[in-house]
Amino acid sequence: EVVPASDWSDAPEESCDFVVRVVDGGEDPLRRREAGTGDEFCSCLHDQTYEQQGDDLSEHGRMHHPRPYYLRANDVIERNQWMRDIRRAARKAKKLKQDERDMSNLRKLQLVLRKYYEMDYVQGFASFMILSNFFINAFEAQINPEAGSYVEQVLSDLDIFFTAIFTAELLWNMASFWFISFWTSSWNIFDAAIICVSILGLAGVMPSGLNVLRALRAVRVFRLFRRLDPLKQILISLGYAVKPVASAALFVLLFSSLYAVIGVTFFRDDFPEFFGDFLRSQLTLMQIMTFDGWIDSITRGMIDEYRSKRERGDISRQLMLNWQAGIVCYTVSYSLIGGLVLMNVVMAILVESFTEAKKQVSVDKERMLAIDLLTAPVSEPLEGLIKEWSAIEDRTSRDYAIESVFMRMDVNQDKSLSLPELQEGLWALGSEPRNQLSDEDFERYTHERAVCNRHGTLGKEGFMEMVHSLLHDYENNSGA
């Protein structure tokens, strides 16, 4: 469980909103509460953080004491949200761990296939193949080789090669995520449809009326959106922005339809090529909205037509002037309202929605990262070094190795290690697992600074004593 802290004082465990503590799974979490202080702790992260299979389980069991995490929220709402997220992450991780224990050999094989399928170099190779196939399709469309020529045969062989690669990749994907996880992904359905069309085309069983679907081979390039993170983020952001942009676009369509109906009503007989029906009228208005030569080809042409009618004596001069004024008002008003105002409004909404959607995507990504960090295996800051030192059986050689690390961390050569020096030294050593040293960890390692000198720093003797104590705990399976 995750519960808020009940007391407020200068003690760190009493001046926070709630406390998370990872404890041994065999211990009742209620017994971890300190009697009489009102402090409340939880063991919600035990299973997913410290339980490993095989040797990892024993190593983590030897190295980890309960570690408190003191968290303060900005307000009660944020605190409750974090507590719900931690509970949810703990339940999910425990369920996954239980599923791992109960899974069949076939399921284990599927997880292995998924692990290798999601590796960066596998996804990178698939992306390279997709991009190469796209450029070859573009080259084929440019040269348009003659049927039966050598170039046409080479391109056909390359098409078979890429289809085989993509089919193998799809089968690997199916085996890794079968069944629900695969078919609930729109990207996987898209991949399967494209590859089925390619196989039917190569097999020669594609109906003659559907041969045009072979052009969908070039659409494979959109699969890059799933594999390249920047492209994927753009696509997701656009997805978030669809609703507000669609509302604005609907308003523009209604406004354009109103003008199209007016154009058909007044100009259908005189200018059937521009306003003969609703669709032609919409196309003409689209040309006006995009400022695509609308003055010369549309407005001036319509004005000149009425001038010609006046010269032939078909209409009076006053009627000519009225029609010309109406044409100018009709086209100019639409270009100003539709082209300059409404289109810019749509673009502004698109940019704003895209920006907000991008921020939301970043927030969601950070939230998922925070939850992943809560459920990720946690290691002690000195765990990597302790493991290495414990592997040295000779006591003299081990002490020499410990002393060498001390001298390397002592960057100012004052024969003592402060907390910042120890933190920076651990990071610079690059041991695995790699972690920062918190103030609480430093207090635990030094037994509330009992092994420190009067300045609160670790001398060589104090450092050796601390390390020997950690080694003793590690080797006797009692934690660090």
Side-chain angles (χ1 to χ4, degrees):
E1 60 177 351
V2 183
V3 291
S6 56
D7 292 340
W8 296 81
S9 68
D10 293 335
E13 66 273 11
E14 296 176 356
S15 61
C16 59
D17 289 330
F18 63 98
V19 182
V20 176
R21 170 167 288 190
V22 181
V23 301
D24 187 358
E27 187 174 0
D28 184 357
L30 296 177
R31 296 171 61 186
R32 299 300 307 174
R33 301 184 181 182
E34 297 180 10
T37 63
D39 299 338
E40 296 172 283
F41 301 101
C42 76
S43 59
C44 63
L45 302 183
H46 165 70
D47 287 341
Q48 69 272 21
T49 52
Y50 293 127
E51 288 194 4
Q52 304 288 333
Q53 295 183 359
D55 295 336
D56 291 340
L57 178 62
S58 59
E59 290 180 0
H60 281 274
R62 289 195 299 265
M63 282 302 299
H64 291 87
H65 268 323
R67 299 185 63 190
Y69 298 88
Y70 305 108
L71 306 176
R72 176 180 291 277
N74 293 324
D75 49 47
V76 175
I77 296 177
E78 185 181 59
R79 183 199 70 181
N80 293 340
Q81 181 62 47
W82 269 102
M83 292 172 65
R84 285 194 295 269
D85 288 342
I86 293 174
R87 292 192 184 104
R88 190 180 299 113
R91 289 194 297 267
K92 180 179 179 181
K94 288 179 180 179
K95 185 178 183 302
L96 290 176
K97 185 60 64 176
Q98 184 63 37
D99 292 342
E100 288 181 7
R101 296 192 189 102
D102 301 337
M103 71 176 57
S104 62
N105 291 332
L106 183 61
R107 176 60 176 168
K108 292 179 180 178
L109 176 61
Q110 185 182 41
L111 292 180
V112 172
L113 291 174
R114 182 182 301 182
K115 173 184 175 182
Y116 285 104
Y117 177 78
E118 292 178 339
M119 285 185 173
D120 291 338
Y121 71 87
V122 174
Q123 296 301 312
F125 175 76
S127 300
F128 175 76
M129 288 290 102
I130 293 172
L131 204 57
S132 301
N133 177 245
F134 175 74
F135 285 125
I136 290 175
N137 288 333
F139 175 74
E140 181 181 3
Q142 172 63 29
I143 65 174
N144 193 19
E146 296 180 1
S149 64
Y150 174 74
V151 175
E152 194 272 341
Q153 183 61 42
V154 171
L155 292 175
S156 179
D157 292 341
L158 286 175
D159 190 22
I160 295 174
F161 168 75
F162 281 114
T163 302
I165 292 293
F166 295 142
T167 302
E169 187 263 344
L170 179 66
L171 293 175
W172 191 355
N173 189 5
M174 283 184 173
S176 301
F177 295 94
W178 190 265
F179 173 76
I180 297 178
S181 298
F182 180 85
W183 290 111
T184 53
S185 171
S186 56
W187 286 111
N188 291 334
I189 296 174
F190 175 76
D191 290 351
I194 296 298
I195 290 173
C196 287
V197 169
S198 300
I199 293 176
L200 291 176
L202 291 176
V205 296
M206 180 79 71
S208 58
L210 298 179
N211 281 332
V212 68
L213 294 179
R214 291 201 64 192
L216 292 177
R217 294 176 302 168
V219 184
R220 287 172 179 160
V221 71
F222 284 103
R223 297 171 64 195
L224 288 175
F225 283 93
R226 186 181 69 175
R227 290 174 168 82
L228 299 182
D229 227 25
L231 296 180
K232 187 177 181 180
Q233 294 301 321
I234 292 175
L235 191 62
I236 294 175
S237 299
L238 287 175
Y240 277 113
V242 163
K243 187 175 181 180
V245 173
S247 301
L250 178 61
F251 179 79
V252 174
L253 178 62
L254 293 176
F255 177 79
S256 178
S257 298
L258 173 63
Y259 264 74
V261 172
I262 294 174
V264 171
T265 302
F266 285 96
F267 307 119
R268 175 173 52 194
D269 296 331
D270 294 331
F271 307 101
E273 69 276 18
F274 294 142
F275 299 98
D277 52 41
F278 180 79
L279 293 181
R280 288 186 182 183
S281 184
Q282 283 282 24
L283 184 61
T284 301
L285 293 175
M286 179 62 68
Q287 184 178 351
I288 295 175
M289 180 182 289
T290 57
F291 306 103
D292 183 19
W294 63 279
I295 294 180
D296 293 331
S297 62
I298 299 176
T299 305
R300 290 188 188 276
M302 295 172 68
I303 291 174
D304 291 341
E305 177 65 23
Y306 282 106
R307 183 181 292 112
S308 299
K309 287 185 177 184
R310 167 59 184 159
E311 292 174 353
R312 294 192 302 267
D314 295 340
I315 58 175
S316 64
R317 183 175 183 277
Q318 185 61 43
L319 186 58
M320 177 195 71
L321 294 177
N322 291 340
W323 276 108
Q324 289 177 341
I327 291 169
V328 171
C329 291
Y330 177 79
T331 55
V332 172
S333 64
Y334 184 79
S335 67
L336 291 177
I337 299 175
L340 293 180
V341 178
L342 294 182
M343 287 303 297
N344 286 327
V345 168
V346 172
M347 292 303 300
I349 293 176
L350 175 61
V351 172
E352 182 180 4
S353 301
F354 184 81
T355 303
E356 292 298 324
K358 199 170 183 180
K359 292 180 181 178
Q360 184 62 41
V361 169
S362 300
V363 170
D364 293 342
K365 190 174 182 180
E366 291 176 359
R367 190 177 188 85
M368 293 303 300
L369 178 61
I371 294 176
D372 290 342
L373 289 176
L374 286 172
T375 59
V378 180
S379 60
E380 293 286 346
L382 290 180
E383 182 173 337
L385 290 174
I386 295 298
K387 289 180 180 178
E388 293 181 8
W389 287 330
S390 65
I392 304 175
E393 297 182 358
D394 182 64
R395 181 63 179 267
T396 303
S397 300
R398 179 188 295 180
D399 290 345
Y400 178 77
I402 297 173
E403 185 176 349
S404 299
V405 170
F406 175 86
M407 299 301 295
R408 184 174 176 179
M409 290 183 177
D410 186 17
V411 292
N412 58 6
Q413 298 182 353
D414 61 352
K415 298 183 179 180
S416 64
L417 291 176
S418 62
L419 176 58
E421 283 181 320
L422 193 55
Q423 290 173 331
E424 293 297 327
L426 285 173
W427 185 260
L429 288 174
S431 58
E432 292 294 339
R434 198 173 188 180
N435 204 344
Q436 282 283 6
L437 183 69
S438 66
D439 295 347
E440 291 82 2
D441 291 327
F442 185 75
E443 295 292 335
R444 289 191 300 118
Y445 284 156
T446 58
H447 305 291
E448 305 297 332
R449 306 207 178 202
V451 298
C452 296
N453 55 30
R454 59 186 181 89
H455 301 292
T457 59
L458 275 174
K460 185 171 70 173
E461 293 77 11
F463 182 76
M464 298 286 289
E465 182 179 349
M466 179 191 73
V467 171
H468 286 149
S469 175
L470 295 175
L471 283 169
H472 180 268
D473 290 341
Y474 178 80
E475 292 170 351
N476 287 278
N477 195 19
S478 60

